[in-house]
C-alpha cells in the first residue's frame, strides 16, 4: 500500500477529522491514564489522536510512513504541542528503543497486512520501556464490502488476546467501547496491556 499516494489523492476515509471518541471513554474509565506519560502513536496519520493526548498532558510523538500525513499533522498543530516524525514503525533499526511509557494504538494494527502483525508487536516492545503500557482500540470486526479483504484487517478477539500474550504483553483491562465513529461501535475492543 502506498500510503503517501493515498494522502496525495485525498483518499483517506480513515481520517475523520477528529480524534477517536474512544480516547475520551478510556480517559473517563481510567482518569489520568495518559497524563504525564511519554506516548508514541504509530501510523498517526494527520495527528488527531496525538494532539488529543498532548492536550491531556502527555508528551506525545506521532509516527507515520507517509510524509504528506506528517506535513498535514504539523500544519494542524501550529503551536507545536506534539512531535511528529516521518518513520517506518516496523523498522528494526529504529533510533528510539525503550523510549516511551505508552504506545497508543488506533488503526495502525488493522491497516497492516496480517503477515506484519508479529513485526508490529516486536516494534511495540522495542519502543516501550520495560513495564510500559500498550493502550489501544482494535478493529475486531470491520464492516467490509462483499469481496473486500482489507485494509482494515479484522482479527478474532481470542486470536488478538493470544497474539498479544505470546508477544509478551499482559492484559490489565479490556472492554467493547460504547463510543466510536459511526459504523465502528460494537466492532472494536479496547485493550490495556503491560509490556513484560
Amino acid at each position: 500500500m502506498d500510503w503517501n499516494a493515498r494522502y496525495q489523492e485525498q483518499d483517506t476515509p480513515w481520517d475523520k477529522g477528529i480524534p477517536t471518541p474512544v480516547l475520551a471513554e478510556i480517559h473517563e474509565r481510567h482518569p489520568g491514564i495518559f497524563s504525564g506519560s511519554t506516548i508514541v502513536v504509530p501510523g498517526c496519520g494527520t495527528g488527531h489522536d496525538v494532539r488529543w493526548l498532548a492536550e491531556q498532558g502527555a508528551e506525545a510523538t506521532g509516527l507515520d510512513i507517509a510524509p504528506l500525513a506528517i506535513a498535514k499533522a504539523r500544519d494542524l498543530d501550529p503551536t507545536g504541542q506534539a512531535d511528529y516524525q516521518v518513520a517506518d514503525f516496523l523498522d528494526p533499526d529504529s533510533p528510539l528503543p525503550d523510549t516511551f511509557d505508552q504506545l497508543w494504538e488506533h488503526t495502525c494494527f488493522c491497516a497492516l497486512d496480517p503477515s506484519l502483525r508479529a513485526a508490529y508487536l516486536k516494534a511495540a516492545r522495542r519502543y516501550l520501556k520495560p513495564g510500559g503500557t500498550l493502550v489501544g482500540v482494535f478493529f475486531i470486526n470491520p464492516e467490509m464490502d462483499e469481496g473486500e479483504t482489507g485494509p482494515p484487517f479484522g482479527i478474532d478477539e481470542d486470536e488478538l488476546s493470544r497474539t498479544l500474550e505470546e508477544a509478551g504483553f499482559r492484559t490489565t483491562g479490556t472492554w467493547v467501547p460504547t463510543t466510536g465513529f459511526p459504523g465502528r461501535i460494537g466492532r472494536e475492543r479496547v485493550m490495556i496491556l503491560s509490556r513484560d
Side-chain angles (χ1 to χ4, degrees):
M1 175 74 68
D2 185 340
W3 296 105
N4 203 59
R6 295 287 296 267
Y7 282 96
Q8 191 168 25
E9 295 159 8
Q10 298 182 14
D11 180 20
T12 56
W14 58 86
D15 188 336
K16 307 300 184 186
I18 58 172
T20 175
V22 179
L23 275 166
E25 181 174 327
I26 295 169
H27 192 262
E28 184 177 329
R29 280 184 174 229
H30 297 274
I33 188 171
F34 303 116
S35 303
S37 296
T38 55
I39 303 179
V40 65
V41 183
C44 72
T46 56
H48 305 296
D49 289 0
V50 182
R51 288 184 293 282
W52 188 94
L53 290 163
E55 289 165 4
Q56 310 315 306
E59 186 180 324
T61 299
L63 309 178
D64 205 285
I65 200 168
L68 286 175
I70 292 299
K72 186 168 182 183
R74 290 176 178 151
D75 288 346
L76 291 169
D77 188 2
T79 62
Q81 61 184 334
D83 180 37
Y84 310 92
Q85 299 182 27
V86 177
D88 180 354
F89 178 68
L90 303 183
D91 183 352
D93 297 320
S94 158
L96 300 170
D98 299 335
T99 303
F100 297 94
D101 302 316
Q102 284 187 24
L103 183 149
W104 167 246
E105 162 53 39
H106 173 222
T107 71
C108 185
F109 186 84
C110 72
L112 296 172
D113 186 276
S115 66
L116 296 173
R117 287 175 177 162
Y120 173 98
L121 293 172
K122 284 181 184 175
R125 287 183 57 82
R126 199 165 49 246
Y127 276 82
L128 285 169
K129 297 174 183 175
T133 306
L134 191 163
V135 183
V137 57
F138 294 86
F139 221 162
I140 300 299
N141 180 23
E143 190 172 15
M144 303 289 230
D145 293 331
E146 188 174 342
E148 185 182 10
T149 59
F153 298 97
I155 185 170
D156 173 84
E157 293 180 56
D158 291 337
E159 181 185 355
L160 175 62
S161 295
R162 185 175 61 256
T163 300
L164 289 161
E165 183 179 316
E166 289 171 354
F169 290 95
R170 182 176 52 85
T171 303
T172 60
T174 183
W175 69 92
V176 174
T178 59
T179 56
F181 291 125
R184 293 191 190 173
I185 297 172
R187 297 175 177 271
E188 296 178 307
R189 175 162 285 281
V190 170
M191 298 195 75
I192 302 174
L193 305 113
S194 176
R195 183 203 145 171
D196 60 15

